Amino acid sequence: MSTTRTRVAIVGGGPAGLMLSHLLHLSGIESVVLDHREVAEIETTHRAGILERDAVRLLVDSGASERVLTEGDRHGGIHLRFGGVNHHVDFERHVGASVWLYPQTEVFVDLHRTRTRDGGDLRYGISGTQVHDVTGSPRVTYVDAEGVTHEVRAEIVVGADGSRSICRALVDPRKQYFREYPFAWFGFLCEAPKSADELVYTRSERGFALISQRTEDVQRMYFQCDAGEDPTAWSEDRIWSEMHARTAGHDDFVLRTGPVIEKSVLPFRSFVQTPMRHGNLVLAGDAAHTVPPTGAKGLNLALADVRVLAEVLERALVKDDAAALDGYTERALSRVWKAQHFSYWMTTMLHRTAEGSDFDELRQLGELSWLVGSEAGSAYLAEGYTGWPSR
Ligand SMILES: Cc1cc2nc3c(=O)[nH]c(=O)nc-3n(C[C@H](O)[C@H](O)[C@H](O)COP(=O)(O)OP(=O)(O)OC[C@H]3O[C@@H](n4cnc5c(N)ncnc54)[C@H](O)[C@@H]3O)c2cc1C
């Protein structure tokens, strides 16, 4: 068994793990990143697409990405479509901020490229990860592609290993909070021109639909479906017929269609685990919390966590401030709970409820018309969507 010694072992080389490794490198702290997927698989798995203002600043200011500004699309607002008409909510006007459409796959490419350029120790395609002795001298063991067992000894282990984290089970005692939703999202990529310049969040009697963009020729769309839906049961004709039915209206909006090139069903769940630290183990990103995708918060929360964590680890490891880690959970979770509420609020305002009662429909329409008809309502949405300024 080979042994490597490092200061921080990071389990999970997604956006949270890679960004943390990058920020630690800037502070002169070495780390090893371990991930059981191959780089090529992560680079081609479509997930989030919207970056908050502070996430873009973090990518740019830390030197991780220039491309987000040149190849990403700045969106100054969103369209809320209900009653058969688009209503634009102008974020710039209400809170002076925008979001950026820049797919998670590109964020990963930028971070991976940056860490590789800077000589980062990145180990993808491993298996059998195990974390040991987190309250003493922690170490992580794993098996490489040739079947050789390795050990990484570190002062701190970070669990950035996503929603199926093995690390979070090592936090003891722990408290977990769940909110299940009785539906899911059917997501698909299609080769079609853009239907709109910004995202269109649609509430219809048949349920929610979202029109999002990727490039000039490829678009990402979603519609609310049953939790156990089988993507293979949906032909291209059936998908477009459902999207047309949900986005039909009496304005000049036109849904642009084309070949469907990928489809999947996204689970819908809210989850938070606290604390996010146990001894010398710390959690970040989806390992500690997940949100439904409605508010586009998952990726942004992962990046917000590691912004705080990098600062705390620098104080602990460079400035010998051993107590620095104590405040990490509270600081990270204060943003997480805001995002949980925002995602829950957007979800319950736009989705057809299980009962589909008249009362709920009319209540949702009342809320939506307040939102687009009032400065305060629009500002509330704009501030939550673009992200609460970090301290
Ligand atoms: C289908 C889908 C669509 C989404 N859409 C949106 C969206 O529209 N907007 C939004 O904001 N968010 C969205 N999200 C959420 C967003 O993708 C996540 O919040 C984000 O990826 C979190 O980053 P992370 O680094 O914490 O976790 P991840 O990106 O999941 O990275 C974790 C990494 O850990 C690795 N790993 C896991 N277990 C182990 C192990 N035992 N050993 C070693 N490595 C391990 C994984 O291979 C992975 O690369 C979506 C998620 C999914 C699944």
Side-chain angles (χ1 to χ4, degrees):
M1 181 163 73
S2 79
T3 298
T4 307
R5 287 178 199 281
T6 188
R7 301 208 78 185
V8 182
I10 302 173
V11 182
L18 276 183
M19 177 55 98
L20 179 65
S21 177
H22 171 57
L23 295 175
L24 292 178
H25 170 73
L26 296 179
S27 301
I29 301 169
E30 63 171 19
S31 63
V32 175
V33 175
L34 306 167
D35 198 298
H36 66 189
R37 290 194 294 166
E38 296 289 351
V39 169
E41 185 190 338
I42 305 178
E43 279 179 353
T44 50
T45 304
H46 294 279
R47 286 189 170 190
I50 291 290
L51 292 176
E52 294 174 354
R53 169 185 49 187
D54 278 5
V56 173
R57 279 188 188 148
L58 181 66
L59 284 165
V60 174
D61 294 350
S62 71
S65 177
E66 286 276 318
R67 288 200 309 141
V68 62
L69 297 178
T70 54
E71 293 178 33
D73 272 339
R74 192 174 69 79
H75 285 194
I78 55 172
H79 301 280
L80 288 175
R81 184 167 182 79
F82 60 94
V85 179
N86 274 3
H87 306 262
H88 188 246
V89 179
D90 187 334
F91 298 158
E92 280 293 340
R93 182 176 140 222
H94 290 290
V95 293
S98 292
V99 293
W100 290 78
L101 183 90
Y102 191 63
Q104 181 166 340
T105 44
E106 301 305 316
V107 173
F108 176 82
V109 166
D110 291 344
L111 287 169
H112 185 260
R113 197 177 283 166
T114 303
R115 285 308 290 128
T116 305
R117 180 199 67 197
D118 294 342
D121 188 342
L122 313 177
R123 307 181 188 182
Y124 285 85
I126 62 156
S127 60
T129 319
Q130 289 185 27
V131 180
H132 314 266
D133 199 9
V134 295
T135 52
S137 303
R139 61 200 171 85
V140 184
T141 53
Y142 68 91
V143 179
D144 71 16
E146 276 77 48
V148 178
T149 301
H150 298 259
E151 176 185 64
V152 179
R153 290 183 174 271
E155 290 162 61
I156 300 283
V157 172
V158 176
D161 51 341
S163 59
R164 295 188 183 152
S165 170
I166 57 160
C167 294
R168 68 170 166 244
L170 302 174
V171 175
D172 184 29
R174 59 184 178 274
K175 186 162 172 55
Q176 298 184 328
Y177 302 85
F178 296 94
R179 170 60 53 107
E180 302 290 343
Y181 297 84
F183 42 74
W185 273 11
F186 190 104
F188 63 100
L189 271 183
C190 58
E191 288 173 345
K194 288 181 181 173
S195 299
D197 49 351
E198 292 171 345
L199 272 64
V200 184
Y201 283 81
T202 305
R203 184 219 162 273
S204 85
E205 286 173 14
R206 298 179 66 89
F208 172 77
L210 173 60
I211 295 165
S212 172
Q213 302 79 16
R214 280 298 179 265
T215 66
E216 288 303 318
D217 311 311
V218 175
Q219 314 308 327
R220 182 92 168 128
M221 302 192 194
Y222 306 87
F223 58 86
Q224 177 185 356
C225 66
D226 290 338
E229 196 66 72
D230 173 10
T232 61
W234 284 79
S235 66
E236 200 165 291
D237 284 350
R238 190 176 169 207
I239 290 172
W240 285 122
S241 151
E242 192 60 42
M243 284 298 292
H244 275 299
R246 293 192 191 196
T247 56
H250 33 267
D251 56 4
D252 56 3
F253 175 78
V254 178
L255 176 67
R256 307 216 181 259
T257 64
V260 172
I261 52 177
E262 191 192 291
K263 48 190 179 181
S264 59
V265 170
L266 279 68
F268 239 73
R269 191 185 199 212
S270 297
F271 166 76
V272 179
Q273 175 167 309
T274 185
M276 289 169 67
R277 178 221 172 176
H278 179 58
N280 295 318
L281 171 74
V282 204
L283 304 176
D286 275 19
H289 42 74
T290 55
V291 284
T294 324
K297 292 285 173 241
L299 172 59
N300 292 297
L301 282 181
L303 295 175
D305 277 0
V306 298
R307 184 198 294 117
V308 175
L309 184 54
E311 183 196 313
V312 162
L313 287 176
E314 185 188 0
R315 277 170 44 207
L317 297 176
V318 178
K319 298 174 183 152
D320 286 331
D321 176 6
L325 276 168
D326 294 347
Y328 169 62
T329 297
E330 194 184 334
R331 278 182 67 187
L333 286 190
S334 73
R335 188 178 197 87
V336 168
W337 279 113
K338 283 183 205 159
Q340 287 290 5
H341 170 70
F342 183 76
S343 306
Y344 169 85
W345 172 68
M346 289 268 291
T347 300
T348 51
M349 182 171 66
L350 292 164
H351 288 70
R352 187 178 155 81
T353 56
E355 310 81 38
S357 73
D358 291 348
F359 180 88
D360 276 330
E361 278 196 45
L362 293 168
R363 180 188 60 74
Q364 288 175 334
L365 288 171
E367 185 168 25
L368 283 161
S369 48
W370 160 68
L371 208 63
V372 300
S374 132
E375 293 283 324
S378 295
Y380 181 82
L381 172 64
E383 184 173 83
Y385 201 93
T386 56
W388 308 274
S390 48
R391 277 200 280 159

